[in-house]
Amino acid sequence: LSPPFGPAAFYLKGVAPPSISLKDIFVSLLPFIAIQLVVLFGLLFFPDLAMWLV
């Protein structure tokens, strides 16, 4: 998901009201990137999680 965040942020800037800056959009994306990093490191350190629900 992280590679499309950049183009999506610029698209959102184009359709957002003028009061919302590009910095606000990028700051609002940080929690989603953090969630992805937590899951990535969880899978790196505990690979059995990948097959837990299967």
Side-chain angles (χ1 to χ4, degrees):
L1 288 173
S2 59
F5 278 153
F10 288 107
Y11 172 75
L12 286 172
K13 177 59 182 156
V15 298
S19 61
I20 298 176
S21 69
L22 190 58
K23 181 182 176 184
D24 294 333
I25 293 172
F26 276 110
V27 168
S28 66
L29 293 175
L30 289 178
F32 297 101
I33 295 173
I35 290 169
Q36 289 181 356
L37 289 174
V38 167
V39 171
L40 175 68
F41 285 119
L43 289 172
L44 282 173
F45 293 115
F46 306 103
D48 291 337
L49 287 174
M51 297 298 290
W52 180 56
L53 291 175
V54 177

